[in-house]
Amino acid sequence: MAGSYRFSVGPWNIHEGADPFGPTVRASVPFATKMAAVRALGYESVMLHDDDAVPELERLSPQQIASEAAALKDSLANLGLTVELSAPRLWEGGQWVDGGYTANDPTVRAAALERTKRCIDVCRHLGTDLMVLWLAREGTYVRESKSAVRSVELLLEAINAMLAYDPDIRIAIEPKPNEPMDIAYLPTIGHAVAIGYRSADPSRVGALVESAHAILAGLDPADEMAFALSAGKLWSVHLNDQNGLKYDQDKSFGAANLRTAFDQVLVLEDAGYGSRGEMVAFDVKAMRTTRPEHQLQHLANSREIFLALVDKARSLDRATVASLAAARDYEGLDRLVLRHLLGLD
Ligand code: GLO
Ligand code: MG
């Protein structure tokens, strides 16, 4: 009996529509309103940046962080929400322009590690042992500006320091090949899994695959997921879609390529993803043209399409798939999958 899925989303997935060429076009939705709204849409869990959970945490004492995070955990629990993970937001503040863990300035590197320790504290107070590292600015605009070998060593040292700081914390690395940087140091899931194996405790370093990031790397998201799954390292996913090699679009799941979305669901379903507590998270954004009254539609759509594709995965005629594959009739297999997705069988 295949398992049922549990869904997660972040507050940044309800946003004001600013892009590099224009300001906000929708009013900010208060945090508490966002939380209630995602619960009403059937989401059971949320992803929070450290400062989503505890604003201005760098100015607070560990005790203040503990009490704010504990209060938030309680208010989310009252809504019926748990926290899937937290992530240190090491890209927004001006101090992180050159990255955090790989910044050329050693005082910035030290500050990045301190900030990450506070994020680990936030995770623990929110009741999760999972921290995500999206290494946004750990890369370069000018390749000669940093030593790439040294940067990988610095990332490894930082990960080891995190593992040493909390003996229970698990780290999921979310790779992305570019944006905001020209070139990132950990661009694919292979890089994430490899550095995890080199860490002081490989059992506590895994990965998160975002569909759009895989596509931006020219890779197939389902195969990126499969690579992590085969190593027991797929600890979360950021499902979304991406129309080719453009800016990071964070389109609704399945919006650009339904077949690619189906293949992601198929690989998750066949691997029993979710049965070990993993969440299905969507990292999706409403289009800038979206009117305020429709600004949750992408969250509803992504979940609905995911569940429809789970039905498609479960109802796929596996015996015919196997016999077409055995006969090397891949044209026939292609037709079978397309007809199935179109509801023609
Ligand atoms: C951006 C990333 C970003 C992260 C989030 C969690 O491209 O996908 O949305 O997933 O900040 O760290
Ligand atoms: Mg993401």
Side-chain angles (χ1 to χ4, degrees), residues 136-161:
R137 296 192 191 272
E138 313 302 346
T140 56
Y141 301 112
V142 174
R143 237 339 168 221
E144 296 82 3
S145 64
K146 295 178 183 176
S147 156
V149 171
R150 176 81 181 122
S151 294
V152 175
E153 299 303 321
L154 287 170
L155 287 171
L156 192 54
E157 279 171 29
I159 289 167
N160 285 340

Tab-separated table of all heavy atoms in Angstrom, residues 136-161:
chain	number	residue	atom	x	y	z
A	136	ALA	N	23.596	30.139	-1.159
A	136	ALA	CA	23.253	31.132	-2.168
A	136	ALA	C	24.452	31.887	-2.752
A	136	ALA	O	24.591	31.986	-3.965
A	136	ALA	CB	22.274	32.137	-1.545
A	137	ARG	N	25.279	32.426	-1.873
A	137	ARG	CA	26.380	33.273	-2.362
A	137	ARG	C	27.739	32.605	-2.203
A	137	ARG	O	28.772	33.271	-2.247
A	137	ARG	CB	26.356	34.636	-1.660
A	137	ARG	CG	25.099	35.427	-1.984
A	137	ARG	CD	25.184	36.872	-1.543
A	137	ARG	NE	23.874	37.501	-1.649
A	137	ARG	CZ	23.411	38.088	-2.756
A	137	ARG	NH1	24.154	38.138	-3.837
A	137	ARG	NH2	22.193	38.614	-2.768
A	138	GLU	N	27.720	31.273	-1.988
A	138	GLU	CA	28.996	30.543	-1.877
A	138	GLU	C	29.445	30.173	-3.287
A	138	GLU	O	29.266	29.054	-3.760
A	138	GLU	CB	28.865	29.297	-0.984
A	138	GLU	CG	28.148	29.530	0.329
A	138	GLU	CD	28.775	30.592	1.240
A	138	GLU	OE1	29.937	31.002	1.003
A	138	GLU	OE2	28.082	31.036	2.186
A	139	GLY	N	29.993	31.162	-3.953
A	139	GLY	CA	30.450	31.015	-5.331
A	139	GLY	C	31.111	32.319	-5.727
A	139	GLY	O	31.543	33.075	-4.848
A	140	THR	N	31.174	32.575	-7.015
A	140	THR	CA	31.866	33.798	-7.453
A	140	THR	C	31.179	34.450	-8.646
A	140	THR	O	30.430	33.820	-9.380
A	140	THR	CB	33.317	33.482	-7.906
A	140	THR	OG1	33.272	32.478	-8.925
A	140	THR	CG2	34.184	33.022	-6.770
A	141	TYR	N	31.483	35.730	-8.806
A	141	TYR	CA	31.200	36.428	-10.066
A	141	TYR	C	32.460	36.389	-10.937
A	141	TYR	O	32.386	36.453	-12.156
A	141	TYR	CB	30.846	37.895	-9.809
A	141	TYR	CG	29.636	38.091	-8.905
A	141	TYR	CD1	29.774	38.630	-7.628
A	141	TYR	CD2	28.373	37.730	-9.346
A	141	TYR	CE1	28.669	38.799	-6.803
A	141	TYR	CE2	27.263	37.901	-8.520
A	141	TYR	CZ	27.424	38.438	-7.257
A	141	TYR	OH	26.337	38.603	-6.444
A	142	VAL	N	33.614	36.331	-10.269
A	142	VAL	CA	34.912	36.346	-10.942
A	142	VAL	C	35.670	35.137	-10.405
A	142	VAL	O	36.004	35.100	-9.215
A	142	VAL	CB	35.678	37.655	-10.615
A	142	VAL	CG1	37.083	37.625	-11.192
A	142	VAL	CG2	34.907	38.860	-11.136
A	143	ARG	N	35.917	34.173	-11.238
A	143	ARG	CA	36.453	32.909	-10.735
A	143	ARG	C	37.791	33.091	-10.013
A	143	ARG	O	38.110	32.369	-9.069
A	143	ARG	CB	36.587	31.882	-11.876
A	143	ARG	CG	35.844	30.536	-11.699
A	143	ARG	CD	35.495	30.183	-10.300
A	143	ARG	NE	34.555	29.072	-10.121
A	143	ARG	CZ	33.576	29.071	-9.229
A	143	ARG	NH1	33.325	30.143	-8.490
A	143	ARG	NH2	32.829	28.017	-9.058
A	144	GLU	N	38.568	34.039	-10.464
A	144	GLU	CA	39.892	34.229	-9.851
A	144	GLU	C	39.804	34.891	-8.470
A	144	GLU	O	40.813	35.060	-7.785
A	144	GLU	CB	40.792	35.077	-10.766
A	144	GLU	CG	41.102	34.420	-12.106
A	144	GLU	CD	39.996	34.604	-13.137
A	144	GLU	OE1	38.986	35.292	-12.842
A	144	GLU	OE2	40.118	34.035	-14.237
A	145	SER	N	38.596	35.288	-8.045
A	145	SER	CA	38.486	36.022	-6.785
A	145	SER	C	38.616	35.136	-5.552
A	145	SER	O	38.880	35.620	-4.453
A	145	SER	CB	37.147	36.781	-6.728
A	145	SER	OG	36.062	35.869	-6.719
A	146	LYS	N	38.399	33.841	-5.721
A	146	LYS	CA	38.526	32.902	-4.596
A	146	LYS	C	39.222	31.653	-5.124
A	146	LYS	O	39.099	31.313	-6.301
A	146	LYS	CB	37.151	32.484	-4.059
A	146	LYS	CG	36.315	33.581	-3.437
A	146	LYS	CD	34.951	33.021	-2.988
A	146	LYS	CE	34.073	34.128	-2.423
A	146	LYS	NZ	32.707	33.625	-2.074
A	147	SER	N	39.882	30.944	-4.216
A	147	SER	CA	40.418	29.638	-4.594
A	147	SER	C	39.280	28.626	-4.493
A	147	SER	O	38.685	28.448	-3.433
A	147	SER	CB	41.553	29.236	-3.640
A	147	SER	OG	41.688	27.821	-3.647
A	148	ALA	N	38.991	27.939	-5.586
A	148	ALA	CA	37.892	26.967	-5.578
A	148	ALA	C	38.208	25.787	-4.659
A	148	ALA	O	37.341	25.306	-3.926
A	148	ALA	CB	37.603	26.489	-6.997
A	149	VAL	N	39.446	25.339	-4.678
A	149	VAL	CA	39.814	24.213	-3.802
A	149	VAL	C	39.658	24.637	-2.342
A	149	VAL	O	39.039	23.937	-1.537
A	149	VAL	CB	41.268	23.744	-4.094
A	149	VAL	CG1	41.717	22.727	-3.049
A	149	VAL	CG2	41.363	23.152	-5.495
A	150	ARG	N	40.183	25.796	-2.018
A	150	ARG	CA	40.083	26.314	-0.639
A	150	ARG	C	38.611	26.513	-0.248
A	150	ARG	O	38.218	26.228	0.875
A	150	ARG	CB	40.850	27.649	-0.563
A	150	ARG	CG	40.751	28.349	0.777
A	150	ARG	CD	41.712	27.774	1.798
A	150	ARG	NE	41.580	28.449	3.083
A	150	ARG	CZ	41.283	27.835	4.230
A	150	ARG	NH1	41.076	26.530	4.253
A	150	ARG	NH2	41.201	28.500	5.351
A	151	SER	N	37.795	26.937	-1.183
A	151	SER	CA	36.379	27.173	-0.885
A	151	SER	C	35.670	25.875	-0.531
A	151	SER	O	34.841	25.842	0.386
A	151	SER	CB	35.689	27.850	-2.076
A	151	SER	OG	36.215	29.141	-2.246
A	152	VAL	N	35.986	24.807	-1.236
A	152	VAL	CA	35.370	23.523	-0.896
A	152	VAL	C	35.816	23.089	0.503
A	152	VAL	O	35.017	22.604	1.305
A	152	VAL	CB	35.712	22.445	-1.961
A	152	VAL	CG1	35.178	21.082	-1.541
A	152	VAL	CG2	35.133	22.842	-3.321
A	153	GLU	N	37.105	23.325	0.796
A	153	GLU	CA	37.598	22.991	2.137
A	153	GLU	C	36.892	23.829	3.201
A	153	GLU	O	36.545	23.334	4.278
A	153	GLU	CB	39.122	23.219	2.236
A	153	GLU	CG	39.947	22.365	1.291
A	153	GLU	CD	39.701	20.876	1.459
A	153	GLU	OE1	39.543	20.421	2.606
A	153	GLU	OE2	39.640	20.173	0.431
A	154	LEU	N	36.668	25.097	2.898
A	154	LEU	CA	35.974	25.974	3.857
A	154	LEU	C	34.539	25.498	4.079
A	154	LEU	O	34.041	25.513	5.212
A	154	LEU	CB	35.980	27.424	3.361
A	154	LEU	CG	37.329	28.156	3.451
A	154	LEU	CD1	37.258	29.489	2.702
A	154	LEU	CD2	37.719	28.386	4.917
A	155	LEU	N	33.875	25.079	3.011
A	155	LEU	CA	32.508	24.564	3.168
A	155	LEU	C	32.513	23.317	4.039
A	155	LEU	O	31.662	23.154	4.921
A	155	LEU	CB	31.901	24.248	1.793
A	155	LEU	CG	31.512	25.477	0.952
A	155	LEU	CD1	31.126	25.058	-0.468
A	155	LEU	CD2	30.345	26.228	1.612
A	156	LEU	N	33.492	22.459	3.807
A	156	LEU	CA	33.598	21.232	4.599
A	156	LEU	C	33.871	21.550	6.070
A	156	LEU	O	33.233	20.981	6.971
A	156	LEU	CB	34.718	20.369	4.005
A	156	LEU	CG	34.832	18.931	4.470
A	156	LEU	CD1	33.518	18.178	4.303
A	156	LEU	CD2	35.946	18.233	3.684
A	157	GLU	N	34.766	22.492	6.309
A	157	GLU	CA	35.064	22.892	7.702
A	157	GLU	C	33.809	23.451	8.372
A	157	GLU	O	33.536	23.160	9.539
A	157	GLU	CB	36.146	23.990	7.720
A	157	GLU	CG	37.550	23.470	7.581
A	157	GLU	CD	38.552	24.619	7.387
A	157	GLU	OE1	38.309	25.748	7.888
A	157	GLU	OE2	39.571	24.385	6.704
A	158	ALA	N	33.052	24.250	7.632
A	158	ALA	CA	31.833	24.845	8.209
A	158	ALA	C	30.814	23.744	8.525
A	158	ALA	O	30.207	23.742	9.610
A	158	ALA	CB	31.241	25.867	7.234
A	159	ILE	N	30.631	22.814	7.613
A	159	ILE	CA	29.677	21.716	7.846
A	159	ILE	C	30.116	20.900	9.072
A	159	ILE	O	29.296	20.555	9.926
A	159	ILE	CB	29.566	20.841	6.572
A	159	ILE	CG1	28.824	21.619	5.476
A	159	ILE	CG2	28.881	19.508	6.868
A	159	ILE	CD1	28.928	21.010	4.088
A	160	ASN	N	31.402	20.630	9.164
A	160	ASN	CA	31.888	19.870	10.324
A	160	ASN	C	31.667	20.635	11.625
A	160	ASN	O	31.328	20.037	12.658
A	160	ASN	CB	33.370	19.521	10.151
A	160	ASN	CG	33.555	18.401	9.145
A	160	ASN	OD1	32.608	17.655	8.860
A	160	ASN	ND2	34.754	18.275	8.607
A	161	ALA	N	31.825	21.938	11.584
A	161	ALA	CA	31.591	22.751	12.795
A	161	ALA	C	30.106	22.697	13.182
A	161	ALA	O	29.767	22.644	14.369
A	161	ALA	CB	32.030	24.186	12.559
